[in-house]
Amino acid sequence: MSRPLTPADLAKQAAGRRAVDFVEPGMRVGLGTGSTAEWFVRALGEKVRAGDLARVVGVPTSIRTGKLAEAEGVKLTTLDEAGWLDLTVDGADEIDPELSLIKGGGGALLQEKIVATASDRMIVIADPSKQVQALGAFPLPIEIVPFGWETTKAIVERLLTEFEVAGRRATLRLDKDAPFLTDGGHMILDLHLGRIEKPKALAARLLAVPGVVETGLFINIADLAVIGHEDGETEIVTRAGA
Ligand code: 5RP
């Protein structure tokens, strides 16, 4: 028996369902990862099965999302096959007023960023708890290569001293007792920063470290946010200049 939906589930469901209104027949759609993105995939599947969205194909950002999409009857392709996408819909861990995001709580940030930036439009879907005035309370995930990870961690902690952040601790993400590995075979460091004053500068500095593959800072990528509420209502927030 499935458990009853919590208020947060209902809000995520509302956001996911509303985002399907932006999908048109024939679109190539990036499918995000996480519990909110899963509501979108289920709602998309419903419409596809009802015959309302012919020729839509999805590009999943993780193995987990791909399995769900297949089970929901959404036709899948690869990013290479699609070449470019019309739209990507994904969740986030934090959303600031400029629609800058922290992503990667689910460990799929690299593939999520590749897919989102290869799309004409990215829509972020969330419940209101993800909206923040400044990014950083949620630990910032960065994807790193396993080779020399302890050295990479030390370099990252040292470079954080150049930034105005409330905390500077980096922790290796674990899956039970072993390092968590992404679909791409990378590790994740979670940076406990508290508050990030200059996200763009921090992202650039982190990316300059050779062992760092990508950061969970998504800046100027999301064009629009759909915020769902537990009563089923949704609100749309657009990025200035998007
Ligand atoms: C996965 C992500 C997710 O979108 C993010 O963690 C939000 O997840 P949820 O919708 O379950 O709260 O970035 O890498």
Side-chain angles (χ1 to χ4, degrees), residues 102-166:
I102 285 185
K103 285 189 49 57
L109 67 101
L110 174 61
Q111 292 181 186
E112 289 172 333
K113 198 179 269 189
I114 292 172
V115 168
T117 55
S119 305
D120 282 342
R121 198 177 196 200
M122 183 212 182
I123 296 179
V124 60
I125 53 176
D127 64 276
S129 74
K130 305 296 181 64
Q131 291 180 292
V132 296
Q133 277 312 309
L135 300 175
F138 189 92
L140 172 66
I142 61 172
E143 195 154 334
I144 62 167
V145 293
F147 179 85
W149 74 266
E150 287 179 88
T151 301
T152 299
K153 176 172 175 282
I155 293 169
V156 165
E157 282 177 322
R158 196 175 336 125
L159 79 75
L160 288 176
T161 60
E162 299 165 23
F163 287 87
E164 260 181 71
V165 284

Side-chain angles (χ1 to χ4, degrees), residues 9-239:
D9 293 331
L10 291 167
K12 291 175 183 192
Q13 183 185 43
R17 286 184 168 280
R18 177 75 175 85
V20 176
D21 295 343
F22 293 86
V23 182
E24 294 168 17
M27 275 190 169
R28 297 155 297 174
V29 184
L31 309 174
T33 294
S35 56
T36 318
E38 284 174 8
W39 285 114
F40 168 73
V41 173
R42 289 188 198 104
L44 183 65
E46 260 176 48
K47 278 214 166 182
V48 166
R49 292 195 303 277
D52 295 340
L53 283 174
R55 293 172 291 102
V56 160
V57 288
V59 172
T61 52
S62 62
I63 294 169
R64 181 174 134 195
T65 297
K67 283 184 181 156
L68 176 66
E70 269 187 334
E72 291 291 333
V74 178
K75 193 164 172 261
L76 296 182
T77 187
T78 62
L79 184 56
D80 290 329
E81 193 71 36
W84 192 258
L85 306 180
D86 300 287
L87 171 69
T88 283
V89 178
D90 201 349
D93 300 298
E94 284 188 347
I95 306 173
D96 83 1
E98 275 87 54
L99 301 193
S100 292
L101 316 174
I102 285 185
K103 285 189 49 57
L109 67 101
L110 174 61
Q111 292 181 186
E112 289 172 333
K113 198 179 269 189
I114 292 172
V115 168
T117 55
S119 305
D120 282 342
R121 198 177 196 200
M122 183 212 182
I123 296 179
V124 60
I125 53 176
D127 64 276
S129 74
K130 305 296 181 64
Q131 291 180 292
V132 296
Q133 277 312 309
L135 300 175
F138 189 92
L140 172 66
I142 61 172
E143 195 154 334
I144 62 167
V145 293
F147 179 85
W149 74 266
E150 287 179 88
T151 301
T152 299
K153 176 172 175 282
I155 293 169
V156 165
E157 282 177 322
R158 196 175 336 125
L159 79 75
L160 288 176
T161 60
E162 299 165 23
F163 287 87
E164 260 181 71
V165 284
R168 297 195 167 84
R169 201 165 48 92
T171 52
L172 181 71
R173 192 178 296 181
L174 298 176
D175 180 7
K176 300 194 185 84
D177 291 337
F180 171 89
L181 290 182
T182 67
D183 285 355
H186 301 129
M187 293 174 169
I188 290 198
L189 289 180
D190 290 303
L191 308 187
H192 303 263
L193 308 176
R195 185 183 169 97
I196 305 170
E197 295 297 338
K198 294 185 175 145
K200 207 170 174 179
L202 177 63
R205 189 73 183 81
L206 287 167
L207 273 177
V209 178
V212 174
V213 182
E214 193 46 90
T215 83
L217 284 165
F218 283 48
I219 301 166
N220 292 336
I221 294 178
D223 303 290
L224 185 147
V226 178
I227 307 298
H229 295 274
E230 59 182 281
D231 62 2
E233 291 293 312
T234 53
E235 54 186 302
I236 306 288
V237 184
T238 46
R239 175 163 59 87

